[in-house]
Amino acid sequence: GKVKQGNDIVVDGRMSFEQENPDTAESGQVVDIRVYGPGGGELEWFRKNIVFDGTDFKFMLPISYSEIPGIYSVAAEHTLTGLKARATFTVEAAK
């Protein structure tokens, strides 16, 4: 997706437990969220843990006016299974 400086971007995630114990999907889940900037370095101020039930989670990332335009990535790691996912988004200048 794309987001302009000074706006929020909504991140939707889903953990698939098809090859894991199906009971895992029914208990409380935690994913560790990390965000990486256009240069590839982690932006530690975005680091957070998301607690959710079931398989789906959603959270907002506030993009400040000081974030430089470019391609960013969000990485999620399920703390129980170690499953990982990564997605990218583009920050555009506010103009």
Side-chain angles (χ1 to χ4, degrees), residues 15 30-34 49 57 75-85:
M15 299 302 297
V30 178
V31 289
D32 178 54
I33 302 298
R34 309 277 174 121
N49 287 324
F57 62 93
E77 180 176 351
H78 187 253
T79 58
L80 180 62
T81 64
L83 292 171
K84 296 179 182 179

Side-chain angles (χ1 to χ4, degrees), residues 6-63:
N7 290 284
D8 296 337
I9 186 165
V10 177
V11 179
D12 290 305
R14 173 181 290 259
M15 299 302 297
S16 176
F17 297 100
E18 294 164 358
Q19 297 175 5
E20 301 289 329
N21 181 345
D23 293 335
T24 302
E26 299 304 318
S27 60
Q29 310 297 325
V30 178
V31 289
D32 178 54
I33 302 298
R34 309 277 174 121
V35 177
Y36 300 88
E42 182 187 354
L43 307 175
E44 292 183 11
W45 53 90
F46 284 120
R47 189 182 292 184
K48 64 172 67 180
N49 287 324
I50 305 294
V51 179
F52 63 101
D53 292 323
T55 58
D56 298 334
F57 62 93
K58 180 184 286 193
F59 63 96
M60 286 199 299
L61 288 175
I63 305 302

